[in-house]
Amino acid sequence: MTLLLHDKLEEQSIYLPTVARIAAIRDLTAMEKLYTIQLPDGYSLNNRPGQFVEVAVFGVGEAPISISSSPSRSNGSFEMCVRRAGDLTGVLHQKKVGDTIGIRGPFGRGFPIERFRGKDLLFAPGGLGIAPLRSLINEIRDDRCNYGRVTILSGARTPGDLLYKDELAEWDARDDVDLRLTVDHGDDTWKGNVGVITTLFPDLQVYARNTIAVVIGPPVMYRYVLMELLGKGIPEGNIWFSLERRMKCGVGKCGHCQMENIYSCQSGPAFPYSEIKHIEEAI
Amino acid sequence: MGFRIMSKTAFPDWVDGLCRRYRVVGPKPVHGQYVFDDIESAEELDLGYSQTVLPPKKYILPPRETIFRFDGASVEAVVANSDRWTVALGVHTCDMHAIHLLDRVHEHGYQDQHYQARRENTVLVSIECLKPCTPFSFCKDMGTLSITEGYDLHLTDLGEDYAMDIGSEKGEALLEGFAFIHEPTDEDYRRVNQVMTEKWPNFAYRLEFDTTELPSLLTVSMKDDAYWDELGERCLACGMCTNVCPTCYCFNMVDEVDFSLEAGDRIRQWDSCQIDEFALVAGGHNFRGPRSARQRHRFLRKGKYQWEAYGLIGCVGCGRCAQACLVHITPVDTFNALYHRHRQGHVEEVR
Amino acid sequence: MSKPKVAFFEFTSCEGCQLTVVDSLQTNVELLDAIEIVQFREAMSEKGQDYQIAFIEGSCTRPSDEAVIKRIREQADIVVALGSCADLGGINAIRNYQDLDDVRHYVYGDKADWYETYPARPISAVVPVDAAIPGCPIDRNEFIAAVKEVLQGRMPQIPDYPLCIECKLKGNVCVYLRGKTCLGPITRAGCDAICPTYGDSCEGCRGMVSSPNFEYMRIVLEEHGLDFEEARAKMTMFLNYQMMELEQEAANDNAKA
Amino acid sequence: MTMQKLKVDVHHVTRVEGHGNIVVDVENGELKQCELQIVETPRFFEAMLRGRHYMDSSHITSRICGICAVGHATTSLRATEKALGVTPSEQTVLLRKLNFHGEILDSHILHVYMLVAPDFLGVGSVIPLAQSAPDVVLRALRMKKLSGDICATLSGRHTHPIAMTVGGFTHYPTNDQLYQLRERLDAVRADVEATVALIQTLRVPDFERDTEYIALHKEDEYCFIDGEIASTDGGTWPVERYREVTNETMVPHSSAKHTANQRQSYMVGALARFNVNHDKLHPKAQAAATALGLKAKCTNSYMNSVAQVVEIAHCIEESIEILDTLLERGVEPEEPAPATRLSGEGVGSCEVPRGILFHNYVIEEGVVVGANCVIPTGQNLANIEADMRSLVPSILDQPQEDITKALEMLVRAYDPCISCSAHMLDVEFV
Ligand SMILES: Cc1cc2nc3c(=O)[nH]c(=O)nc-3n(C[C@H](O)[C@H](O)[C@H](O)COP(=O)(O)OP(=O)(O)OC[C@H]3O[C@@H](n4cnc5c(N)ncnc54)[C@H](O)[C@@H]3O)c2cc1C
Ligand code: SF4
Ligand code: SF4
Ligand code: SF4
């Protein structure tokens, strides 16, 4: 029997992590590493794209991290991309293959991928936003024929900050994915677009009614991308965001992620704009 | 389950008996104020207390609590299952209502086993308030001036006697084997009813509108930036208001390790939405940076969000925050001011 | 990090923080196994010059100490300011508000010129400092926690929320309700609110939180019977250096406007 | 062969509190220079007190020294109380005495075990002892923790006590806490015996030089708080006339002032207290003195550390007695005794671990307008130099390292608290 991590939490304590092992580590950039986490025998994450786990580094604390691998490719293990941003992520970056960490989750409701079937998909990740989106993109790629056009507009600060370069190249090579990259500041090697992510929109043609847009990135990005998307006529219910907040529990108790009456960790972090447009604190 | 009568002369013996069997906590005087603390005999207890610094919530959701222990690759949850009850004596009805809200939050969605274990271990002996406890309380407005359920035992002061309403088997167990109680007579019913009718006029309504309007008032007032800015300018962001509040439950998690760096505890600790870093995230974005946004969050959470999320208003009118606040930000003043500003059209103006 | 080499230094201070370090051994003897102390003048004769972590106690109060502090900075990978004197200027900075010549003459009379001194300043005013353990004296648990954090490969973290939070977690009766005043609302927590717990007001020895509302703090003090000067005195027992900086900033802003 | 030329320059004497250098210069067998230079930065506490509310004085002055923080606070409170006509209750006096004992114990244990013992055991610090003699180190830590806990129970912490205030305390221990201290003190008696036994095995250098010994004195007790000034050369002075005894002067090589009374210099501290008040010691402490070969009047400055051990025995016993009294009468929370006036002058004096300490304040309308503090180590400086001058010629035949070590040990025996001594002087009183 495969046990959901959840089940174990329900039994003893919702705050008790499952001890898992770091199976592989890959440097993506100077700041980001990709971790493959091996769960103990019999456990499976059974996640949906857009969900996250609480990662515990014992002796330091816990942080919410998106699941970066797609459920279609999980096999008692999953991947996550971690940026060195402070205490916990800093110590995590010093860990080696074979070291143990704690995992709780998956949490959040994720993207309702069944509702995306047959639709054109427009992905707009900024910076680290590609981490959770990769899970969704790969899930769709493995089931490509069930979706319409797939467009990825991806932005990073500099070419060196681009995450998943090899996978980007792989997507780019496919003719069923339209990948467009931009960086805020170019360098000698960079031949592509320079400018913030919204500069990619003017050239973009969409079939608005049939398009689902998924936007994940730093908080400042949402408002601007939203205006572009609404400007293209994409319906409010088709524009999805991941609203990441500070979180200390992942289970709707600690209060940190609250946006008015909504707990982002439980009701989100993936939300369609239609659900949150009245929430002053959301975007 | 009805009620029993216990004379006040027998009451100390009963309390002393409880002290021998259980951990008993109750209000004790300290430096002119009161705190809930362990009681070893009836003498230490002062049921005529005004208001305690911290609400009795601290026995169910302690300020600091070990959630689990870790040692290398093993983890073990620490859940406070205990055979020994904690009997909280003399809980005011506002605090009872607050515990009711906490119960609802912690059983909603995921069950919080740590909360529940302590909750199950706690026996609540509440007491009917017959006069306002402090000039800051506004329980009558918030509908928390009395209580009809949720207690294990509920005391009403009848002068010479206590009426003891039995609310649960736990409550009944506290009376078990104690000889000096009797079934109520008709006269006792009359006395209880009299006390209950006489108490109401002792309390004043302090909100100038009906509490049922609170959520909708706050929905409009959300945009009253000028008002929130004024609060933000005064607010010290000291967090006292939330830390003394019986309905606040936000927390932080911190780790403590020994020198092996391998073994230690994960500890849950009360947090406050009023401090700078409560909604700060990596990358430096603060979702509630200005103090005005934090004050607004606090009041809307109490008067609106909790209502929308859990069907209960998040403030029970105990007045602790009002007494604690050094710059005199109080729910009564805030709600009344918003009400007047709304009536005078301030909010529309802002728009 | 494997057994880091640690050195302790002191400048103008009462050495109470170093004493607290010694006292922390009472409950944490393992400390001696976890780190290698190569220099600690108060407690040992050896003077190793090879260290990675330097704990500096005391304020810098004379120009000639600056070179010594800079040498420490060059040698150490991590410099930690130990205690209020080092972190804030602390009690030594009270005199910055007074006329320094007057101060010297008051204490040393006509021999004042024999003794070199200048306004007291925190170590961070001389060299960059990586972390601080504030407090007068430091809290021993916080010191131990800081050492563990360094061993874990991260910088020591101290709370950035007000003391009132801690004070209320302890269930203390607010000293304002006992007829006193307290700097808890603007002071950085981390000492377990020890002063209010022992019935006294907080004097702000751990420094201010990063965005203190000190205008309203002052109003609160005045409301509780302190006049402007008394309120200022209250707020400057340990915080004079910071207050003078803030006042300077305000003056500069005014000049600009 | 006697050394004709010798230069000793110990930069920053270690294992003492504060910064001091020893400088000795011998040319052609003749002593040219012999100084204990105090290079500690000046602290200016007296100046910092001016303009402050009288309630702040004890909190500010406790920061003069982290090791004798309770001593400074108590002395400061006594000065303020005398200035403002405050009479503390009997309970306050008892609690303060107990707190004071906690500090004497703490400081003496630190000095004897951590700062002095390594010299006798031939190591550089207590750290290698943790390996070679763990039981000794653990005993020291255990005894020191108890001393610190006494202070923590009464005033929140030892270094910079909190709950001590003008007229009394702002916090009171529970009877339960006192009872636990009583139990622990009882248990620590064995450690005291072990300490005496350890010190018995150490060889204290032979060195005699008669000087004047000054300490506070009371008829009915081994005095630490209040009392009058007494000298082994005869004479007593009320503490208010401390200036007649201390006669502070400044010397260029020291940021601490020097003092002299009836001779060129005098000594204060445990040995001085013993020489003045030995007959008031608890019988167990007198027995310890006998066991350790300490007899009044002792003129070997190195024996100061031994006198500290005797005081450890005394303070443990007296603490137990105080606790018994407190437990019997029960500690009742009480409001601090009020000030009867807001202006006045007062002198507080206590025997802190390193000797006699004076705080002298002038207060006007609740604000401190004048202050002077005379610190024990400052009073010892001239005497230390006199000792060095007498010692050096007699050991010139020894290797330089040994001379250096002997001098360092001598300085250390005084348990100098250099950071507190760096304050100073001649304040024209307003
Ligand atoms: C739903 C969700 C998914 C996330 N997915 C990823 C991911 O895939 N990869 C990744 O690298 N990061 C992700 N993050 C961000 C990540 O959680 C933070 O970088 C991490 O918590 C920082 O922790 P730290 O201990 O390293 O930093 P700290 O030393 O604690 O602090 C660094 C900064 O992070 C802020 N911070 C502290 N705790 C949190 C918290 N719980 N949440 C957010 N900010 C916090 C602090 O205020 C500070 O500004 C995600 C966050 C959320 C809410
Ligand atoms: S918000 Fe204030 S009045 Fe309302 S329950 Fe909380 S503390 Fe009491
Ligand atoms: S005593 Fe001081 S720290 Fe404590 S709550 Fe009151 S103001 Fe805050
Ligand atoms: S309560 Fe205030 S003065 Fe006391 S130790 Fe803490 S920060 Fe310092």
Side-chain angles (χ1 to χ4, degrees), chain C residues 193-212:
Chain C
I194 187 165
C195 296
T197 305
Y198 280 87
D200 196 14
S201 56
C202 168
E203 315 283 6
C205 81
R206 291 178 52 87
M208 289 188 254
V209 289
S210 34
S211 40

Side-chain angles (χ1 to χ4, degrees), chain D residues 17 20 24 29 35 44 67 83 89 95 105 125 130 157 162 174 197 226 267 297 300 314 347 350 396-397 419:
Chain D
E17 213 249 5
V24 174
E35 287 173 358
F44 302 115
I67 298 183
S89 71
L95 290 170
L105 288 167
S125 78
R157 61 189 173 202
I162 297 161
T174 62
D226 298 337
M267 182 173 183
K297 165 186 170 192
N300 178 354
H314 173 82
V347 177
C350 293
L396 271 180
D397 55 343
S419 62

Side-chain angles (χ1 to χ4, degrees), chain A residues 133-144:
Chain A
L133 261 183
R134 175 178 176 254
S135 165
L136 181 58
I137 295 172
N138 281 336
E139 180 81 2
I140 283 162
R141 209 191 64 166
D142 291 346
D143 188 20
R144 184 67 190 85

Side-chain angles (χ1 to χ4, degrees), chain C residues 11-71:
Chain C
F11 294 89
T12 302
S13 69
C14 75
E15 302 198 8
C17 292
Q18 290 189 63
L19 185 69
T20 308
V21 169
V22 174
D23 284 352
S24 71
L25 289 175
Q26 294 161 5
T27 38
N28 292 279
V29 204
E30 311 94 309
L31 181 68
L32 293 178
D33 291 330
I35 60 176
E36 186 184 333
I37 301 177
V38 299
Q39 204 181 131
F40 195 156
R41 198 199 42 78
E42 192 184 26
M44 61 195 273
S45 290
E46 295 85 349
K47 289 184 184 173
Q49 293 309 334
D50 166 30
Y51 47 86
Q52 287 116 34
I53 304 166
F55 286 98
I56 303 185
E57 183 198 76
S59 324
C60 182
T61 61
R62 59 181 167 197
S64 61
D65 279 343
E66 288 196 6
V68 189
I69 294 170
K70 285 179 182 146
R71 267 205 307 283

Side-chain angles (χ1 to χ4, degrees), chain C residues 13-14 107-108 115, chain D residues 17-20 36-46 64-65 68 72 248-250 254-258 354 357 373-381 384 415-425:
Chain C
S13 69
C14 75
V107 177
Y108 291 105
Y115 310 109
Chain D
E17 213 249 5
H19 297 96
L36 176 62
Q37 300 181 337
I38 301 303
V39 294
E40 184 74 27
T41 44
R43 305 287 308 277
F44 302 115
F45 272 94
E46 293 99 328
I64 292 175
C65 173
C68 20
H72 276 287
E248 284 187 288
T249 50
M250 261 173 311
S254 160
S255 52
K257 297 167 192 172
H258 281 205
R354 285 152 195 79
L357 166 69
C373 308
V374 186
I375 274 100
T377 296
Q379 298 171 64
N380 271 335
L381 290 175
I384 297 176
D415 192 4
C417 189
I418 293 171
S419 62
C420 16
S421 63
H423 83 116
M424 307 325 160
L425 172 86

Side-chain angles (χ1 to χ4, degrees), chain B residues 74-128:
Chain B
S74 77
V75 286
E76 193 191 341
V78 179
V79 180
N81 290 317
S82 150
D83 306 334
R84 193 152 170 258
W85 284 346
T86 295
V87 179
L89 282 184
V91 181
H92 281 170
T93 51
C94 56
D95 287 340
M96 292 297 295
H97 282 270
I99 291 173
H100 181 50
L101 172 72
L102 296 178
D103 285 350
R104 196 167 289 182
V105 170
H106 288 91
E107 70 196 16
H108 179 91
Y110 292 98
Q111 320 269 306
D112 187 314
Q113 296 88 342
H114 306 270
Y115 177 90
Q116 278 164 347
R118 286 188 200 273
R119 180 68 178 86
E120 275 156 29
N121 262 330
T122 309
V123 188
L124 296 170
V125 180
S126 49
I127 185 162
E128 193 71 32

